[in-house]
Amino acid sequence: MKPTLLLVGGARELPFSVDQGEAALAQAAARGIRTLVTSPALAATPSIAAAADETAVMGFTDPEATAQWARRRVAAGEPIAAVYALLEMAQVAAADTAAAIGVPGNPPEAIRRIRTKDACRAALAAAGFVQPAVRLCTSAADAQDFLRAHAGPCIVKPRDDMGSTGVSQISSVVDLSAAMALLPDARAFLVEEFVSGPEFSVEGIFQGGQPMVLAITAKETVPPPFFVEIAHTLPADLPEPRRQEICETVSAALLSLGLRVGAFHVEVWLTPRGVVLGEVHGRFGGDRIHTMLEYTIPGIELFGLIIDDMLGRPPAPGPFEPTRGAAVRYLTPPPGTVVAVEGWDAVRAHPAVLHAELMIEPGAVIRPLRDSLDRVAMIVVGAETSARARELAEELAASVRFVTAADTRRTKDSATG
């Protein structure tokens, strides 16, 4: 009987997530593995449902329910040999389920730790890694106490969210009310020291319980007070000693946190104090980082490597290192109501473009840029070097024009003036 891969949570209704899900299922099928997908919204991702051998409508916000369901399937004869999750919010359910049925997985306590940002910071600091000071706050008074004790700037952010949602920089107590108003809900939130320095993310997978760094990604964000990511370049152009320092620090941190299976995406800053670790994720990064990895490391099967490792199969021969470059740039035009988008067809037809995605259409409103959901288009480019990929992405982004109602009014006024 074929072993079964249980994919907890399926994919989000977003092209990059669906693409990851399709690749994971295809690479499992190519290895003779049966696939079973659980998701609360299978109808929203029909290609995932079609690619799986079996599906079940099930949420992932109740990890114990998923674990009990998997126990019943195993007791009935289902040979679930691996449990995996693509989604950030499904990581706890996947870890709990793997532990419940006795298959390889990350310890549930380790996943809960990294999913809770202040707990992760505390664990890293206790292990000797440089960390910014942070305070878990349940009220404005808590945050004010922290701000009085730490010179600004500081960051206000949700305790458990992603995509820059609700993240903003403040300089003093005066800015606190406005920053708290941006938080997605009234739950506990964090205030932490601002870390200054170039920011990167580290992409990789575990093999045999050890972290394998595949690439370091250079990140570009909008200026404060918000920190929305608008560009990535992979691999980052770093001197070898700094690259090695980042790789060694991240690898040691992952092991200290107890992670040992699957993918990882770790944010870091280079500062005068050395490498400062940011958020740690037990999944691949978003923003089409997986597409860039697949282009820059020709022939790699990201999910196949993870599946083989979970099943104890010999890994594919390496080395797995980037031999060319890729970049992604998001388009963030000024706010307004869209009348037309000019130049987009030419971008899509460009031979260097690996993926182009327009998330807005005529009649829609471009919002002020405060989090990742406010970005309106993305262009992913591959080239012989990362520097050339970055240049091409910038050039193509500059070639697109978003015509808004305000532009149209100005043209009419000019013609009649």
Side-chain angles (χ1 to χ4, degrees), residues 298-338:
I300 194 170
E301 289 190 327
L302 296 170
F303 304 101
L305 285 168
I306 290 171
I307 293 166
D308 286 340
D309 181 65
M310 287 180 166
L311 296 181
R313 296 179 175 183
F320 300 109
E321 298 176 354
T323 59
R324 46 191 181 182
V328 58
R329 179 158 289 274
Y330 278 89
L331 281 63
T332 56
T337 301
V338 178

Side-chain angles (χ1 to χ4, degrees), residues 197-222:
E199 188 174 354
F200 303 87
S201 63
V202 182
E203 330 302 342
I205 59 175
F206 285 90
Q207 295 283 276
Q210 297 297 309
M212 177 192 291
V213 173
L214 297 174
I216 299 174
T217 306
K219 301 172 68 173
E220 183 179 334
T221 61
V222 297

Side-chain angles (χ1 to χ4, degrees), residues 22-403:
E22 290 173 349
L25 294 172
Q27 289 167 29
R31 286 161 169 74
I33 297 167
R34 184 174 181 274
T35 53
L36 172 56
V37 175
T38 62
S39 170
L42 287 167
T45 55
S47 64
I48 299 298
D53 290 302
E54 185 182 347
T55 61
V57 177
M58 180 182 298
F60 46 78
T61 56
D62 184 349
E64 179 58 25
T66 302
Q68 289 179 0
W69 177 85
R71 283 195 200 99
R72 291 193 294 270
R73 292 297 299 251
V74 171
E78 181 74 61
I80 299 176
V83 181
Y84 186 58
L86 297 167
L87 308 184
E88 176 80 15
M89 300 302 182
Q91 297 296 320
V92 172
D96 280 6
T97 301
I101 63 175
V103 300
N106 286 309
E109 65 273 15
I111 294 297
R112 284 181 167 83
R113 187 179 300 121
I114 65 170
R115 287 285 304 119
T116 308
K117 296 172 184 177
D118 54 305
C120 187
R121 289 236 185 275
L124 290 171
F129 296 96
V130 179
Q131 288 285 275
V134 62
R135 171 78 177 267
L136 175 63
C137 303
T138 58
S139 67
D142 290 341
Q144 289 164 1
D145 288 344
F146 181 91
L147 293 168
R148 280 191 285 267
H150 297 83
C154 291
I155 303 298
V156 176
K157 63 198 300 185
R159 192 184 194 195
D160 179 6
D161 218 311
M162 56 186 181
S164 302
T165 301
V167 179
S168 61
Q169 177 181 307
I170 61 175
S171 299
S172 68
V173 174
V174 174
D175 306 319
L176 181 59
S177 294
M180 290 181 63
L182 297 172
L183 293 168
D185 54 50
R187 294 180 300 170
F189 62 97
L190 304 181
V191 181
E192 65 180 32
E193 289 181 305
F194 172 69
V195 179
S196 179
E199 188 174 354
F200 303 87
S201 63
V202 182
E203 330 302 342
I205 59 175
F206 285 90
Q207 295 283 276
Q210 297 297 309
M212 177 192 291
V213 173
L214 297 174
I216 299 174
T217 306
K219 301 172 68 173
E220 183 179 334
T221 61
V222 297
F226 306 112
F227 296 89
V228 183
E229 296 174 1
I230 56 171
H232 302 296
T233 304
L234 186 159
D237 185 12
L238 284 165
E240 182 56 27
R242 302 314 302 269
R243 190 195 71 81
Q244 192 64 31
E245 180 186 6
I246 290 173
C247 291
E248 290 175 356
T249 302
V250 167
S251 295
L254 290 166
L255 293 174
S256 77
L257 290 168
L259 300 176
R260 62 193 184 206
V261 168
F264 58 84
H265 170 71
V266 182
E267 298 170 357
V268 303
W269 294 271
L270 282 180
T271 78
R273 294 185 291 172
V275 176
V276 176
L277 295 159
E279 293 181 10
V280 177
H281 302 279
R283 55 163 174 81
F284 287 114
D287 292 354
R288 284 281 168 174
I289 284 176
H290 76 284
T291 300
M292 295 194 289
L293 284 171
E294 290 168 344
Y295 177 83
T296 59
I297 310 175
I300 194 170
E301 289 190 327
L302 296 170
F303 304 101
L305 285 168
I306 290 171
I307 293 166
D308 286 340
D309 181 65
M310 287 180 166
L311 296 181
R313 296 179 175 183
F320 300 109
E321 298 176 354
T323 59
R324 46 191 181 182
V328 58
R329 179 158 289 274
Y330 278 89
L331 281 63
T332 56
T337 301
V338 178
V339 174
V341 181
E342 299 176 350
W344 188 251
D345 288 342
V347 165
R348 293 185 61 190
H350 195 286
V353 171
L354 306 175
H355 178 79
E357 188 175 331
L358 187 62
M359 289 92 83
I360 203 164
E361 58 186 17
V365 176
I366 301 171
R367 298 176 298 187
L369 187 62
R370 291 185 173 179
D371 63 45
S372 61
L373 295 178
D374 295 326
R375 303 175 301 191
V376 302
M378 71 182 304
I379 302 170
V380 188
V381 171
E384 63 276 12
T385 66
S386 54
R388 180 56 184 147
R390 185 177 186 274
E391 290 173 357
L392 270 173
E394 290 178 345
E395 292 169 6
L396 290 169
S399 72
V400 179
R401 178 170 178 253
F402 291 84
V403 182

